Amino acid sequence: MALLIATPDRDSEELGRLIRRQDPEIDLRVWPELGRAEDIRFVLAWKPPEGLFRQLPALEVVSSLGAGVDQLVDNPQIPGHVAIGRLAGPRLAANMAAYLVAVVVARWKRLPDFAEDQRARRWNQWAPEQPPVIGLLGTGEMGRRTAAAFGELDFPVHGYSRSGRGPAGVTMHSGTRGLHELAGASDCLINLLPLTPETRDILDADLFSQMREGSTLINVGRGEHLVEADLLAALDRGRPGCAVLDVFREEPLPQDHPFWDHPKLFITPHCASITLTREAAELAVESYRRVMDGKPPLGVVDRERGY
Ligand code: GLV
C-alpha cells in the first residue's frame, strides 16, 4: 500500500521528509511521480491535480492536508466508496483561536487608533467598559477552541450549529431563526462553518440586515460563504460596521478587487491558521496507520453531509 502526497500548489518536500523520518517503512510517493499507480491506496491532497483520482484504481482514502474538505467531498472524480478524511490537529485550532482573539481584541481595544495617537504625540487614555458579544457560526473543532479562548477572557459567547449542540458555556442557536437571533445578539460575528451546499452564500444581505449596527463580521471559513456584493452594500448601511476577511472566492484576491482598498475592510491572505508541516506529518502517519489497521482515516467526513 502506497501513500501519495498530491499538493501541487505547495512545496511537499519537507512534508515528505518528515513522514519518511517518522515511518521509513511507508511506501511514499510524491506527485507527479506516481510510480506504479495501482499501489496507491491513500492520498494526502490539497488542491489535487485534475484527473489524478481517475488514475488510481486501488484508491481507498483521500485525506485533506488541512481542515477543509470542500475541494474533495464534491469532487466527482473520487468514487463513492472512497473515504474522505482531514488533518486538523490541536495546533491548527489553537492558531485559529489566536488569530480571532487578536483581531477581535485589537478592534475592541481600538489599537489602530492608539497607533495614530502615538504618531500625533497625543495622550488619549481610553479603555472599553464591556467586552464584545462573540457569535460563532460553527462549533466544530475550531469553533470549540475559539469559544474556549473567548470564554477564558469572560467574553459572552453565542454559537450556531445545525444540530444546536455546542460546547458548555456557549448560548446555542440553530435553524434560520436561530441564525438571525445569533446575528442580532453578536458584536463580532465569526464564520467558521464548513462549506457545504447549505452554507454556501450564508453571509448574505438577509443575515447582514439582522446584524447590530457597527458590529464586525469575520470570515475565516471559505470565500464562497460570502456574497461579496451584499457585504459591500451592507457596509454602506453600517450593518456590519466593518469586516475582517481571511478567505475569498478567488485567491489570491485579484488586483482590481474592490476589497483591497475598502476603508471598512481588513483583509489577510488566507493565513488565519495554516496547516503546520510538522503537525500534518504526524497526523498523516497516524491516519495512514489507522487505514492499514482497517479503521477509518482521521477526521473521516460524512460525504452526504459534506463535513
Ligand atoms: C485551511 O483553509 C484549511 O482548510 O485547513
Side-chain angles (χ1 to χ4, degrees), residues 228-229 232 253-265 267:
E228 297 185 345
L232 291 172
L253 188 64
Q255 281 300 309
D256 59 352
H257 200 285
F259 284 176
W260 280 113
D261 48 15
H262 195 291
K264 294 181 178 174
L265 287 180
I267 67 175

Side-chain angles (χ1 to χ4, degrees), residues 150-303:
F150 284 113
E152 182 60 32
L153 298 173
D154 290 334
F155 286 21
V157 183
H158 287 244
Y160 169 88
S161 70
R162 192 156 91 157
S163 66
R165 283 193 297 273
V170 175
T171 310
M172 288 301 298
H173 306 264
S174 71
T176 309
R177 223 174 102 199
L179 183 65
H180 288 174
E181 281 165 10
L182 177 88
S186 306
D187 295 310
C188 293
L189 186 64
I190 299 173
N191 177 42
L192 281 159
L193 287 166
L195 181 67
T196 68
E198 288 82 48
T199 67
R200 186 177 296 269
D201 298 332
I202 195 168
L203 307 176
D204 66 356
D206 191 28
L207 183 71
F208 300 147
S209 68
Q210 306 297 319
M211 289 182 75
R212 291 184 173 180
E213 210 174 316
S215 57
T216 302
L217 172 77
I218 304 177
N219 188 20
V220 285
R222 285 286 181 261
E224 290 87 346
H225 284 127
L226 174 69
V227 182
E228 297 185 345
D230 286 6
L231 176 63
L232 291 172
L235 287 169
D236 286 343
R237 287 194 287 271
R239 289 168 198 265
C242 63
V244 176
L245 305 175
D246 182 59
V247 288
F248 304 91
R249 282 185 184 252
E250 193 180 340
E251 294 180 4
L253 188 64
Q255 281 300 309
D256 59 352
H257 200 285
F259 284 176
W260 280 113
D261 48 15
H262 195 291
K264 294 181 178 174
L265 287 180
F266 176 72
I267 67 175
T268 51
H270 200 147
C271 57
S273 184
I274 293 184
T275 297
L276 302 143
T277 311
R278 187 170 299 275
E279 185 168 76
E282 278 168 20
L283 294 174
V285 170
E286 188 182 336
S287 191
Y288 175 84
R289 285 190 184 141
R290 284 172 57 94
V291 173
M292 295 273 278
D293 289 346
K295 295 189 197 137
L298 279 184
V300 68
V301 306
D302 177 337
R303 290 190 68 177

Side-chain angles (χ1 to χ4, degrees), residues 10 46 64-70 92 142 221-222 247 270 273 275:
R10 292 191 187 187
W46 188 259
S64 167
L65 186 62
V69 288
D70 42 287
L92 194 71
M142 302 249 184
R222 285 286 181 261
V247 288
H270 200 147
S273 184
T275 297

Side-chain angles (χ1 to χ4, degrees), residues 70-93:
D70 42 287
Q71 350 142 7
L72 304 177
V73 277
D74 57 3
N75 187 327
Q77 291 176 19
I78 303 179
H81 67 271
V82 171
I84 293 179
R86 61 202 196 101
L87 305 183
R91 193 61 252 168
L92 194 71

